[in-house]
Amino acid sequence: MTYWFIFSDRQLLLASDGGKQSIPLADAMPLPVAEGTIVHDVGTIDGHDCKAYCTTCDDLGGLERCDLRASYFKLDKRMYDKAGAARELVHWDLTSRYCPACGTQTRRTQRIGKVCPACGHELFPSISPAIIVLIERGDAVLMVHARNFRGTFRGLIAGYVEPGESLEDCLRREVMEETGLTIKNVKYFGSQPWPYPSVIMVGFTAEYESGELRLQEEELDAGRFFTIDTLPELPQKLSLARRLIDWWIGKQGKTAKQE
Ligand SMILES: [Zn+2]
């Protein structure tokens, strides 16, 4: 049997059995594939092939739409991660049907590659790198609220890498632009695919070096250094931001009280 990662209106479709939700597991494809789109192979889980596609069916045959972020709290981590990979491939397929150089319909030439038959332009999934950094100052940590956050929680300084930048250049530029601070002792922490729609988040820790905190108002509407006893609402567990913050909380000899 195959695990079917199906997307409808950008949302993941889940089977529901007595309140427990799961990725549909079946021999046959549960719903028709949207015209002109591809069924993608996304590896295996527990010996079952995993396939991903999008559908335009109105009748979902009993499957339920679920926002990919929300699916983190309904699926186990392996299924959520696979759903993220599936979402990135489906997004790439939908946005690469026509050549961006000349407008001709593209042709698939390999598992994740297409070519324009008219001008030869090749298309592969493009993944945007972004940095995120936890900045410590003494016994406090910088947490901010960006205007584009979906909620009232406080997160970390983050931003997209620009052409020609190293991750370290990007980090220093983003921190300076958004806070006016310089940082030192930058250390790599870890990375995480962020399929909203196709980002790889690269996490770092750093220490405050100099400068007066001055928030960039176009991007941030709140932010300051917080000590362990004054922590604000934290980001949800699915994010690398939260992993960084939980690491910092652990370093203070505590565990996060929030879910
Ligand atoms: Zn072309």
Side-chain angles (χ1 to χ4, degrees), residues 20-53:
K20 173 108 179 75
Q21 283 156 312
S22 60
I23 297 296
L25 177 66
D27 285 324
M29 188 178 280
L31 293 167
V33 185
E35 199 185 328
T37 65
I38 295 170
V39 178
H40 305 267
D41 290 319
V42 277
T44 60
I45 287 184
D46 297 335
H48 295 288
D49 285 339
C50 298
K51 293 187 186 290
Y53 66 94

Side-chain angles (χ1 to χ4, degrees), residues 80-95:
Y80 167 78
D81 287 344
K82 194 65 92 180
R87 177 73 188 85
E88 291 198 35
L89 287 169
V90 166
H91 174 78
W92 169 70
D93 183 25
L94 287 172
T95 54

Side-chain angles (χ1 to χ4, degrees), residues 193-215:
W194 191 244
Y196 302 101
S198 314
V199 177
I200 175 89
M201 296 295 300
V202 188
F204 294 87
T205 61
E207 288 172 28
Y208 167 89
E209 184 176 59
S210 67
E212 188 126 336
L213 186 59
R214 182 175 34 76
L215 299 180

Side-chain angles (χ1 to χ4, degrees), residues 98-106 115-121 123:
Y98 297 91
C99 173
C102 77
T104 305
Q105 197 161 354
T106 55
V115 69
C116 170
C119 75
H121 182 74
L123 292 106

